Amino acid sequence: FFSFVFLHAPSAPMGFADHLDFFVVFFSALSAVGWVTFVAGFGMENNNDQRLQNQGWGNKEELFNWYMFSILGFVAILLTMAYSLVKNRALLSFALFLSGVVLVFAGAPLNDSGHFIWDCHQKDATGSTFTGAGCQEETFNNHCLMFSGSLVYALFQSLVILVASMAPENTRLALSLDESNYPLTN
């Protein structure tokens, strides 16, 4: 239903489908902002001397998904942006597959840091909040960065997957205002 609405919008002068590549690049840029936010928080927490060892930070194997997200997340962003320029079907398939795998990897920091943030907001026996280990320290801020970054990445990369799969194969992102670059408008 949604693809029909987006691709057959009668009010758009050149059609919404002709500009889907711009949306792919725009949503990819926003997911890159989320990825950078996650990587900044993850790096600061890795360098934090007061990080919580009981939440997997002492055992690097427990953070495998976090490391994979921090590495492959950027590759998925680059591949989806490259598809908007090259329009290769194999590149689209690999970019969408890798984006889906990276979204699975992004679930680990979303889950773990989300639980940590939620635990900090819970009242203890005295009715106070933010009394748990790490809740009043740099660790809380780093987990907030990692959670918000991975959430923004997941939201916008999901939109990238949706829009890139609907984009026509015969249009490309053109870096000029010359309408001859758009084959569907001639």
Side-chain angles (χ1 to χ4, degrees), residues 6-7 16-25 84 163-164 166-168 171:
F6 288 135
L7 293 176
F16 183 75
D18 297 339
H19 301 290
L20 286 177
D21 291 324
F22 291 107
F23 287 99
V24 170
V25 171
S84 294
V163 173
M166 293 188 318
T171 61

Side-chain angles (χ1 to χ4, degrees), residues 2-3 6-8 14-28 80 83-84 87 159-160 162-169 171-173 182 184:
F2 289 112
S3 63
F6 288 135
L7 293 176
H8 302 292
M14 291 180 17
F16 183 75
D18 297 339
H19 301 290
L20 286 177
D21 291 324
F22 291 107
F23 287 99
V24 170
V25 171
F26 178 69
F27 291 147
S28 292
T80 53
Y83 171 71
S84 294
K87 291 293 187 175
L159 287 173
V160 166
L162 173 73
V163 173
S165 62
M166 293 188 318
E169 292 180 18
T171 61
R172 289 187 179 160
L173 181 66
Y182 299 104
L184 293 179

